[in-house]
Amino acid sequence: MKQAEKLQKTIFNNIPDQAWMKDIDSRYVLVNDAFVAASGLSEEQILNKTPEDIWPSDWSQQYMATDRKAISCGTRVRYEEPQSDEDGTVRWFDTIKAPIRDEGGFIIGTVGISRDITDRKQAEQELLESRNQLRELSGYLQSVREEERTRIARELHDELGQSLTAIRIGLSVIEEQMQSQQGDSLQSLNSLKKITESTVESVQRITADLRPLILDELGLISTIDWLLESFAQNSGITYEVSLPTDSLEFSPELRTAIFRVLQEALTNIMRHSQASHVVVQLQSDKRNVVLRITDNGNGIDFSGQREKSLGLVGMRERTLMLGGKLYIHSEAGVGTSIEMRVPKV
């Protein structure tokens, strides 16, 4: 063996990954020890043979095809491939092939290296499964929280709300009976009446924040109208709204997700954006439901308040759990546009 060939062989054998060289016809002309061990053949059984002589049919077809691609394109080819051991265990390899050129620049063969990335693939799969499990857990917790909110809201409305209303009516009756009287008794009664009315309003507000009963009783469209009217009253920000005129049948999960995303977006706008106007659009076609919220505020500083960033994460997670996507475009001094696109369910 010539000195140059010995040096080449030594370099190849010091590569821990499988490495080889082939001629223009895909015949192996040099392989390293890792390649020999992986093939289960001797070096003599490999040299001057093509992949079709050594490997299973499906593997050899891919190897020949990638050889031809590297030669025809004259550039490096990289791909990942699964291989099954004799016991059925699947191992993954990251393979790179590149053309070899002679002194005149003509392609005379290919050189390749293949690295075992099974551990990396397993780690990626475990990470993906972990993310899916966390997303499922998040979805379950969101569902449980919505159910608990609904239960508390109904109890506040049905029990405490009715009791306070009865007290308010009773105080009004007593007030009429005491109109002719003067003094501390009537003042105390008026004070109690004001406290009761204030408590009724607080219960109504807390109930609406927990879970507006209108969402379950009158549907999403009416709830959006109510939410925007409340938003305008509390913030002084004007709004435009475009809603479908026909009746929309949404699943409870989709209905809740759209409402919560809009609620969180409006809360962020009111607290952080310094906007003066908001446009809300809800559209539906055969495949998707699309919610857009656009404001003319100062844009989102994504490195800013943690509360605001967590709100955006919550909106994105709600959308992802329904198989949708959330798009956010923000420009300083121009405003922010949030688009929620979810498949119909």
Side-chain angles (χ1 to χ4, degrees):
M1 183 181 292
K2 295 179 181 180
Q3 188 66 26
E5 293 177 351
K6 288 182 179 180
L7 178 60
Q8 197 174 54
K9 180 71 172 178
T10 301
I11 293 172
F12 255 50
N13 282 332
N14 277 281
I15 297 175
D17 306 311
Q18 298 178 40
W20 63 90
M21 290 178 61
K22 299 177 186 175
D23 64 17
I24 196 67
D25 297 316
S26 290
R27 289 190 296 263
Y28 292 100
V29 296
L30 182 65
V31 294
N32 70 347
D33 292 341
F35 186 95
V36 172
S39 69
L41 302 173
S42 67
E43 186 174 356
E44 291 73 17
Q45 291 174 307
I46 298 172
L47 295 180
N48 297 315
K49 301 291 180 63
T50 69
E52 295 171 332
D53 301 320
I54 297 174
W55 303 109
S57 175
D58 53 342
W59 297 6
S60 64
Q61 289 178 12
Q62 181 178 15
Y63 298 161
M64 296 293 289
T66 50
D67 286 349
R68 288 192 294 268
K69 183 176 181 181
I71 291 171
S72 62
C73 296
T75 57
R76 188 180 71 168
V77 175
R78 184 172 187 172
Y79 60 94
E80 293 181 359
E81 56 177 326
Q83 294 182 4
S84 298
D85 294 340
E86 293 181 357
D87 61 357
T89 302
V90 176
R91 304 199 67 81
W92 281 86
F93 292 87
D94 181 13
T95 300
I96 299 174
K97 291 182 179 180
I100 302 174
R101 301 177 186 271
D102 62 13
E103 295 177 355
F106 296 99
I107 295 175
I108 59 173
T110 59
V111 61
I113 187 168
S114 188
R115 172 168 294 179
D116 190 330
I117 58 169
T118 305
D119 292 341
R120 191 192 80 188
K121 278 289 185 179
Q122 290 176 346
E124 290 175 353
Q125 183 62 32
E126 289 172 1
L127 179 60
L128 181 60
E129 291 175 357
S130 176
R131 284 182 176 177
N132 289 336
Q133 290 173 356
L134 287 173
R135 186 151 290 140
E136 290 176 2
L137 176 61
S138 177
Y140 172 74
L141 293 176
Q142 292 280 13
S143 175
V144 170
R145 186 168 68 175
E146 286 295 337
E147 291 176 2
E148 187 66 10
R149 281 178 166 180
T150 302
R151 184 187 66 80
I152 295 173
R154 288 195 178 279
E155 288 187 2
L156 284 173
H157 178 269
D158 296 340
E159 301 294 334
L160 186 57
Q162 290 180 10
S163 297
L164 287 171
T165 300
I167 292 173
R168 184 172 59 182
I169 293 173
L171 289 173
S172 297
V173 172
I174 295 173
E175 182 183 32
E176 291 179 1
Q177 295 173 349
M178 297 180 62
Q179 286 296 329
S180 59
Q181 301 183 22
Q182 302 292 329
D184 294 340
S185 296
L186 186 58
Q187 290 180 1
S188 298
L189 182 63
N190 287 331
S191 178
L192 285 173
K193 186 178 178 183
K194 290 179 180 179
I195 292 172
T196 304
E197 290 175 347
S198 175
T199 305
V200 170
E201 292 176 358
S202 296
V203 169
Q204 291 173 344
R205 176 178 52 79
I206 294 170
T207 301
D209 288 341
L210 282 170
R211 172 82 176 188
L213 300 181
I214 187 176
L215 182 60
D216 299 314
E217 295 173 356
L218 297 182
L220 181 62
I221 303 301
S222 298
T223 304
I224 290 176
D225 281 330
W226 165 81
L227 182 62
L228 285 169
E229 289 178 6
S230 300
F231 165 77
Q233 291 175 0
N234 294 330
S235 66
I237 299 173
T238 61
Y239 70 89
E240 295 178 46
V241 61
S242 174
L243 302 173
T245 55
D246 54 334
S247 177
L248 297 178
E249 295 295 332
F250 295 147
S251 68
E253 294 79 12
L254 179 55
R255 187 169 62 230
T256 299
I258 292 173
F259 168 73
R260 290 300 182 194
V261 167
L262 177 58
Q263 185 183 47
E264 180 64 35
L266 293 177
T267 299
N268 282 342
I269 290 170
M270 183 167 57
R271 290 179 179 176
H272 308 295
S273 73
Q274 299 181 2
S276 61
H277 190 70
V278 175
V279 177
V280 175
Q281 298 170 299
L282 181 65
Q283 300 173 341
S284 176
D285 55 32
K286 293 181 179 180
R287 294 184 177 181
N288 298 307
V289 177
V290 180
L291 173 69
R292 293 188 187 90
I293 309 111
T294 305
D295 68 67
N296 63 347
N298 53 16
I300 297 177
D301 178 8
F302 290 98
S303 63
Q305 301 95 330
R306 176 174 171 81
E307 176 188 357
K308 183 168 56 176
S309 63
L310 288 177
L312 295 175
V313 171
M315 287 191 282
R316 183 171 281 109
E317 283 299 313
R318 284 186 179 274
T319 306
L320 287 173
M321 282 187 293
L322 294 175
K325 291 184 178 180
L326 190 77
Y327 304 93
I328 301 175
H329 177 74
S330 186
E331 187 174 348
V334 177
T336 301
S337 176
I338 296 176
E339 179 178 300
M340 175 190 188
R341 183 175 294 270
V342 182
K344 279 187 173 179
V345 293

